[in-house]
Amino acid sequence: MRTSLQRMLTAFLTTLSMTALSNASVADDLLITGTIYTANDDSPIVEAVVVSNGRFSYVGSLEGARLAASGPVKEIELDSRIAYPGFIESHGHLSSLGESITNLDLNGVDSYQTIVGMVADAAAKAAPGQVIKGRGWHQSKWQSQPKITVDGFPTHRSLSEVSPNNPVFLGHANGHSALINQAAMDEINLSFTTTPPEGGVIVKDARGNPTGILHENAIDLAYPLIALSVDSAKAAILAAQRHAFRWGITNFHDAGAGKTDIKAQQMLNDSGDLKLRVYTMVSAQDEALSDYWLARAPLIAKDDSRLTIRSFKAVMDGALGSRTAWLHAPYTDDPGTSGVQTFDEDRLIDIMKRSVKYGWQINTHAIGDKANTVVLDAIEAAQLAPYDHRARIEHSQHLIRSDINRFADLGVIASIQTIHMSSDRPWAIDRLGQERIETGAYIWRDLLNAGVHLANGTDVPVEPINPLANFYAAVARKTLKGTPEGGFELNQRMTREETLKSMTLWNAFAGFEEDQLGSIEVGKQADITVLDRDIMTVEESDILSTNVAMTIVSGEIVYKAP
């Protein structure tokens, strides 16, 4: 009995002690000293900040910070490290990022044969019938092409040989194409008689047999193979959260969440497990889901929550790599196609008109110049101008010159991904030709000069979430290997100051959160990204070797480098 009482007393005292420590840490001010970039033009660099109850209570000099800090203070001296506003990922795919961490990572794989070998290894370890999933392959980046291709894409034959008993689903890096094997086709009853859905393409060989390549809405046919449950979606989101913090991301705009993802996000938010700020775009591809959310007010995060649901994501076209981006004129390297329209313009206008009642934001994927024109037409037809709509065109990648000023006139945000220029520009010229590349592709400077608001993300897992690579792409206009020496269309590059804002304050504006986030100012949420060097001053080539040292959300250290 005495032992039992001793254990109870020890447990009680331990709980009491931990509670006291917890309460103290909540009450303690956080004093951070060193070089701190604020993204605030009034005081762009300061030497100290004080954080109280998760918000900046003082921003300025070290002397002033010490006077402003009241009560117990926890101090972080940055030394050679540099602090910035918390980086905001303005366009990514949260659960897909989590899945990509555990599935086959095909980014950077340089040949189809290597992918076949990876699938063979996975099939040898998999249970019979288990679906083998991967993402990240891109045929335009392979050093050698397979012997048999159809429309420039590989066929399923080799995958089917090494994985006869396990369905295989390999998503393209751009998210707009997929390759499946024969076992997967058998599982979903896909054959030469299958009719592709509207806005989708089932690639077939000369005999009319499916090659295993699915483009755009045809990927939905394979959805039963890859659909997440709420539990698996929660696990994927938590994995993505850890990865985001590792890269200094404090806020993540989830570009197109379905019903399962949204439920998982809400459950994680309610339980307190969601530490990452998430700005969710409801997938407008799901008509019933869209109708449900349009009929009610958006969900806006408060101090005790991290989840905001206040926008929709529609997809007007495909991607350049699969020649499904919708162009005004045919592709230079395939004059037989101008791309694919994947969303009905009249339905987009209807959604935009209905969005006004509760103040929903409408964000539309458009990569090709024709898709961008059609989306601008829809915004104009919906007569959104009198409202603070902040409609976004996600990617805004290839434009005709006459549409640049329309972005500004209509108050449309160009949601770009500067890293796409580094990855795609070497081969994009084959798709568009030199004139279209030089006058309308990745034209960030022209958009800024026209007064267009920019937001800047990575489109993860289409690209790695690495914000330093994104920063480098914006200021250098080169591939991540540093080529070409003079950069691609260098007149379109952004300054370092602009690029920092495009990853912080401008992204906060793109989510109606500029009063709370995006810069280091008194009263705002204390979100901070700490790097091991000063990306505002280091040599251009050193940007890519910069590391994240610490990530802070609302004054809480959620990641610290080993």
Side-chain angles (χ1 to χ4, degrees):
M1 182 178 292
R2 179 178 298 174
T3 302
S4 178
L5 287 172
Q6 287 175 335
R7 287 175 178 168
M8 291 173 63
L9 180 61
T10 299
F12 172 74
L13 291 174
T14 300
T15 302
L16 187 64
S17 174
M18 291 300 293
T19 301
L21 285 171
S22 176
N23 290 336
S25 66
V26 170
D28 286 358
D29 284 350
L30 179 64
L31 172 62
I32 302 176
T33 64
T35 301
I36 302 169
Y37 286 89
T38 67
N40 176 11
D41 291 338
D42 293 335
S43 52
I45 305 177
V46 298
E47 57 185 10
V49 299
V50 177
V51 177
S52 304
N53 298 316
R55 292 180 179 268
F56 296 112
S57 58
Y58 177 86
V59 177
S61 68
L62 176 57
E63 181 181 1
R66 294 200 185 281
L67 291 173
S70 59
V73 176
K74 177 181 179 181
E75 186 168 346
I76 297 176
E77 294 182 1
L78 294 174
D79 298 320
S80 62
R81 299 170 297 178
I82 311 294
Y84 309 82
F87 291 158
I88 299 173
E89 170 57 68
S90 69
H91 182 111
H93 306 277
L94 194 58
S95 62
S96 294
L97 167 58
E99 277 204 289
S100 70
I101 295 169
T102 56
N103 295 339
L104 295 179
D105 181 5
L106 307 179
N107 284 287
V109 176
D110 61 4
S111 72
Y112 182 50
Q113 199 54 45
T114 301
I115 292 174
V116 172
M118 294 170 68
V119 170
D121 291 342
K125 302 172 185 176
Q130 178 183 340
V131 179
I132 296 169
K133 295 186 285 186
R135 178 168 176 165
W137 63 274
H138 200 306
Q139 79 288 352
S140 295
K141 299 179 182 180
W142 291 338
Q143 293 182 2
S144 61
Q145 296 297 317
K147 293 181 180 179
I148 301 176
T149 63
V150 176
D151 293 344
F153 288 88
T155 71
H156 71 88
R157 298 296 179 188
S158 295
L159 291 181
S160 298
E161 289 174 4
V162 300
S163 182
N165 301 316
N166 294 89
V168 176
F169 180 97
L170 304 180
H172 194 279
N174 62 26
H176 293 263
S177 300
L179 172 60
I180 61 177
N181 69 343
Q182 187 62 54
M185 287 189 271
D186 292 342
E187 187 77 18
I188 62 175
N189 296 317
L190 176 65
S191 68
F192 70 94
T193 62
T194 303
T195 301
E198 185 176 355
V201 177
I202 300 173
V203 177
K204 298 181 179 180
D205 61 22
R207 296 182 178 181
N209 294 314
T211 64
I213 292 290
L214 307 174
H215 293 313
E216 303 306 334
N217 293 346
I219 299 174
D220 293 343
L221 297 172
Y223 182 74
L225 297 173
I226 59 173
L228 292 175
S229 66
V230 173
D231 286 342
S232 59
K234 287 168 63 178
I237 291 168
L238 291 176
Q241 175 175 263
R242 291 189 294 271
H243 196 65
F245 288 155
R246 157 68 182 83
W247 285 105
I249 304 299
T250 60
N251 188 342
F252 193 108
H253 292 198
D254 191 13
K259 183 177 180 180
T260 301
D261 282 346
I262 292 173
K263 186 174 182 180
Q265 291 172 5
Q266 289 177 304
M267 292 176 69
L268 290 171
N269 187 55
D270 291 343
S271 67
D273 293 314
L274 190 65
K275 302 294 185 182
L276 176 70
R277 300 190 196 282
V278 177
Y279 184 86
T280 296
M281 308 178 201
V282 179
S283 175
Q285 309 303 110
D286 186 330
E287 193 164 353
L289 186 66
S290 300
D291 289 342
Y292 173 84
W293 283 102
L294 280 169
R296 51 196 27 85
L299 175 68
I300 309 298
K302 306 297 182 184
D303 279 0
D304 60 348
S305 64
R306 298 288 162 85
L307 178 62
T308 292
I309 305 174
R310 69 159 304 161
S311 60
F312 287 86
K313 162 82 177 301
V315 180
M316 183 54 70
D317 71 342
L320 203 61
S322 50
R323 298 185 186 83
T324 53
W326 192 16
L327 305 178
H328 280 285
Y331 280 83
T332 300
D333 60 354
D334 187 355
T337 182
S338 297
V340 179
Q341 178 182 2
T342 57
F343 203 90
D344 181 71
E345 183 180 0
D346 289 338
R347 181 167 173 247
L348 181 60
I349 295 171
D350 177 64
I351 290 174
M352 289 178 172
K353 289 181 176 178
R354 292 162 64 192
S355 71
V356 170
K357 181 177 181 180
Y358 290 113
W360 285 95
Q361 179 188 45
I362 308 300
N363 307 328
T364 310
H365 165 115
I367 288 182
D369 51 14
K370 174 71 170 179
N372 277 274
T373 298
V374 170
V375 176
L376 291 169
D377 290 344
I379 293 169
E380 188 170 9
Q383 299 181 339
L384 297 181
Y387 309 98
D388 185 15
H389 59 85
R390 304 193 195 182
R392 293 161 50 166
I393 295 185
E394 304 299 319
H395 307 303
S396 306
Q397 202 162 325
H398 308 286
L399 310 173
I400 57 173
R401 301 299 301 177
S402 57
D403 277 342
I404 296 174
N405 286 328
R406 293 183 72 201
F407 270 84
D409 294 341
L410 294 170
V412 179
I413 296 170
S415 178
I416 63 172
Q417 296 74 45
T418 52
I419 188 62
H420 281 335
M421 192 284 310
S422 286
S423 295
D424 298 355
R425 175 59 180 81
W427 54 264
I429 191 170
D430 296 332
R431 299 286 195 272
L432 298 174
Q434 186 168 346
E435 182 180 357
R436 282 190 289 192
I437 277 284
E438 292 180 350
T439 62
Y442 319 105
I443 50 175
W444 315 322
R445 174 55 50 200
D446 289 347
L447 287 166
L448 286 171
N449 289 345
V452 179
H453 286 287
L454 297 187
N456 189 5
T458 66
D459 203 7
V460 63
V462 174
E463 304 280 359
I465 199 172
N466 184 353
L468 288 316
N470 217 33
F471 190 96
Y472 174 83
V475 302
R477 299 276 301 197
K478 299 175 182 178
T479 70
L480 299 187
K481 294 181 179 179
T483 58
E485 185 175 345
F488 292 111
E489 293 78 50
L490 207 57
N491 62 310
Q492 294 294 341
R493 68 178 173 178
M494 296 161 62
T495 67
R496 298 195 192 201
E497 291 74 16
E498 289 168 340
T499 304
L500 178 62
K501 287 182 179 178
S502 79
M503 295 163 51
T504 55
L505 185 60
W506 296 354
N507 284 347
F509 178 84
F512 295 86
E513 297 176 322
E514 73 277 11
D515 291 337
Q516 300 291 322
L517 306 168
S519 61
I520 295 177
E521 299 182 56
V522 172
K524 288 193 174 185
Q525 296 278 3
D527 294 358
I528 303 171
T529 299
V530 179
L531 304 179
D532 66 357
R533 64 183 65 186
D534 189 346
I535 58 173
M536 308 300 285
T537 62
V538 297
E539 292 294 325
E540 187 180 89
S541 58
D542 289 334
I543 294 171
L544 291 174
S545 55
T546 301
N547 298 302
V548 176
M550 190 181 303
T551 307
I552 299 172
V553 180
S554 284
E556 177 186 356
I557 299 173
V558 294
Y559 170 78
K560 189 174 182 180

